[in-house]
Amino acid sequence: MKNLNGKVALVTGASRGIGAEIAIQLAPAGAKVIVNYSGSKQKADDVVNQIQSSGGEAIAVQADVSKTEDVKALFDKSIKHFGKIDVLVNNAGIMINKLLKDTTDEDFDKQFNVNVKGTFNTMREAAARLANKGSIINISSTTTRLMLPTYGAYVGTKGAIEQMTRVFAKEIGARGINVNAVLPGPTNTELFAHGKSDQFIERLASMNAFNRIAEPIDIAQVVCFLASDDAKWISGQTIGANGAMA
Ligand SMILES: NC(=O)c1ccc[n+]([C@@H]2O[C@H](COP(=O)([O-])OP(=O)(O)OC[C@H]3O[C@@H](n4cnc5c(N)ncnc54)[C@H](OP(=O)(O)O)[C@@H]3O)[C@@H](O)[C@H]2O)c1
């Protein structure tokens, strides 16, 4: 269904995992896609090639979302190439699992810089530069509802994203822009698999109604819906994409 015809979508952290799948799914729905990455150029180029070989339009743009100047340049390059941005998906994120007592200043700062400052940077830029009637989708996490040990600093970043989502939805709504957060449950990516035993993964899988870990496409399809005009009346919401996990 081409319900994103004529729209331009910027997806942060789209070189791998959930972000890559979001970029890949937005294209056949009709969107032109900016595939942002910070370090994985080859993987971002592969995503662009996959979209182009299926008849879609995409470019890869490097930017570290935690850096204000990089984000300004990301918007400059995207608007120069496609003329506008209608959809912003704040997906770039990192996770460092440690008990709170073992979390270093560096662990804390890294996660807050990428996850919170990154989302803040792109939304601040979007305040003036996202097209009227656009959509913003911020990727939070179902872990904000689970209180799992070792997720303390990470859920702090995601809780901040959810609160900014609610406030920014009210601030930017006058331009017809809706802002929502999607909260994936455990999803089969590098970020998720890192350092987890098979036993822990099985335990997490057993905590949802379908007894499996999500695949990136399960999340991408929810994001595609929220990016469409059909979802316009949904704004300021935190939406679990987690198979009834929480
Ligand atoms: N997987 C899960 O179970 C799960 C569950 C809930 C929420 N989430 C959230 O979903 C989002 C995507 O997670 P994922 O599992 O797909 O992670 P992933 O496989 O590790 O991919 C992370 C992506 O973010 C990019 N990135 C990291 N730091 C960046 C920065 N400073 N600037 C720009 N891009 C940056 C990476 O690009 P480079 O490789 O180029 O650095 C990569 O494309 C994250 O926000 C995560 O917190 C994931």
Side-chain angles (χ1 to χ4, degrees):
M1 191 168 60
K2 296 243 178 203
N3 57 354
L4 299 178
N5 252 344
K7 291 191 191 281
V8 177
L10 165 57
V11 185
T12 69
S15 51
R16 297 184 277 122
I18 294 171
E21 192 61 36
I22 292 170
I24 288 164
Q25 294 302 322
L26 285 168
K32 297 169 185 171
V33 186
I34 300 115
V35 174
N36 160 250
Y37 65 99
S38 65
S40 306
K41 181 178 183 334
Q42 186 56 54
K43 289 188 175 170
D45 288 342
D46 290 347
V47 173
V48 167
N49 287 338
Q50 190 176 335
I51 290 171
Q52 288 173 340
S53 62
S54 310
E57 280 188 60
I59 55 166
V61 180
Q62 195 281 336
D64 177 344
V65 293
S66 70
K67 296 186 177 152
T68 305
E69 291 310 315
D70 277 25
V71 168
K72 283 190 176 144
L74 171 62
F75 273 69
D76 290 345
K77 286 176 193 163
S78 303
I79 292 170
K80 189 171 177 208
H81 190 88
F82 286 127
K84 60 172 183 166
I85 305 169
D86 302 286
V87 177
L88 167 63
V89 183
N90 279 309
N91 165 81
I94 59 170
M95 177 173 77
I96 301 168
N97 286 128
K98 285 185 184 175
L99 292 173
L100 201 128
K101 72 179 176 65
D102 298 327
T103 301
T104 64
D105 287 358
E106 197 196 358
D107 296 332
F108 181 92
D109 289 345
K110 262 193 190 168
Q111 291 176 95
F112 272 81
N113 281 338
V114 176
N115 300 0
V116 183
K117 183 96 189 289
T119 301
F120 165 76
N121 277 337
T122 58
M123 290 206 295
R124 184 171 54 181
E125 211 56 34
R129 303 178 76 185
L130 202 76
N132 286 347
K133 301 186 178 168
S135 307
I136 300 175
I137 300 113
N138 296 326
I139 304 299
S140 178
S141 169
T142 292
T143 53
T144 58
R145 298 175 177 173
L146 293 175
M147 320 316 161
L148 293 171
T150 76
Y151 285 76
Y154 176 72
V155 297
T157 69
K158 294 300 189 181
I161 289 169
E162 291 178 20
Q163 289 302 80
M164 286 196 293
T165 298
R166 294 182 177 106
V167 172
F168 198 50
K170 294 255 173 119
E171 290 182 358
I172 202 168
R175 292 215 286 116
I177 294 171
N178 59 335
V179 188
N180 290 294
V182 170
L183 286 59
T187 306
N188 185 14
T189 69
E190 285 173 44
L191 174 142
F192 169 72
H194 180 77
K196 288 189 179 67
S197 65
D198 288 350
Q199 208 178 12
F200 186 51
I201 293 176
E202 270 174 38
R203 195 184 123 212
L204 288 172
S206 73
M207 286 167 72
N208 69 51
F210 304 107
N211 274 304
R212 68 170 174 86
I213 298 298
E215 292 301 325
I217 193 162
D218 295 314
I219 315 305
Q221 284 170 336
V222 176
V223 171
C224 285
F225 168 64
L226 288 172
S228 76
D229 290 340
D230 295 341
K232 190 46 77 182
W233 199 240
I234 302 173
S235 194
Q237 303 302 309
T238 53
I239 297 153
N242 59 33
M245 187 179 201

